[in-house]
Amino acid sequence: MTTVADIVKTMQSKFNASAAAGLDLVFQFNIEDGENHYLVVKDGTCDLQQGDAATPNVTLIMNTETLKGITSGETDGMQAFMAGKLRAEGDMMLAMKLGELFPV
């Protein structure tokens, strides 16, 4: 079985540094059936950490299956949101930026 850490590392490998130029953002991933992680995107870099960020810009709440589907391209993030499989807290527009930062 793929772990949340594996999925997030896959995301990190797809990171589009040019889309992150000038950004300073923290994306928190709260995984209902796994461990939480957060990504710090700052000036073209991406740093993955396990746990909870002190002050995330946006928190995305989902289960492991939804995260895996979104990161692999099998699931559309907006459809998951509309279906209630993905919830967002904080700056919801930043959740849309993830598609540019981590193209599938």
Side-chain angles (χ1 to χ4, degrees):
M1 181 175 147
T2 307
T3 68
V4 174
D6 293 335
I7 296 166
V8 180
K9 282 178 188 155
T10 299
M11 266 182 78
Q12 194 176 23
S13 72
K14 297 176 183 177
F15 181 63
N16 178 1
S18 61
L23 295 181
D24 187 0
L25 303 172
V26 178
F27 295 92
Q28 176 73 47
F29 296 90
N30 286 356
I31 309 303
E32 296 164 326
D33 60 346
E35 63 274 6
N36 293 347
H37 285 79
Y38 62 96
L39 286 168
V40 178
V41 176
K42 185 169 183 158
D43 294 327
T45 65
C46 172
D47 183 36
L48 167 67
Q49 299 290 325
Q50 186 171 351
D52 297 320
T55 55
N57 297 94
V58 64
T59 300
L60 302 169
I61 305 155
M62 69 196 93
N63 64 23
T64 304
E65 182 181 338
T66 302
L67 177 64
K68 185 177 180 183
I70 291 171
T71 57
S72 69
E74 293 172 26
T75 303
D76 178 70
M78 185 56 74
Q79 288 176 339
F81 180 78
M82 297 302 231
K85 294 179 178 181
L86 167 64
R87 299 189 316 277
E89 295 175 357
D91 189 341
M92 305 217 346
M93 293 312 291
L94 290 179
M96 306 297 287
K97 190 107 181 115
L98 283 170
E100 293 173 41
L101 294 170
F102 303 96
V104 182

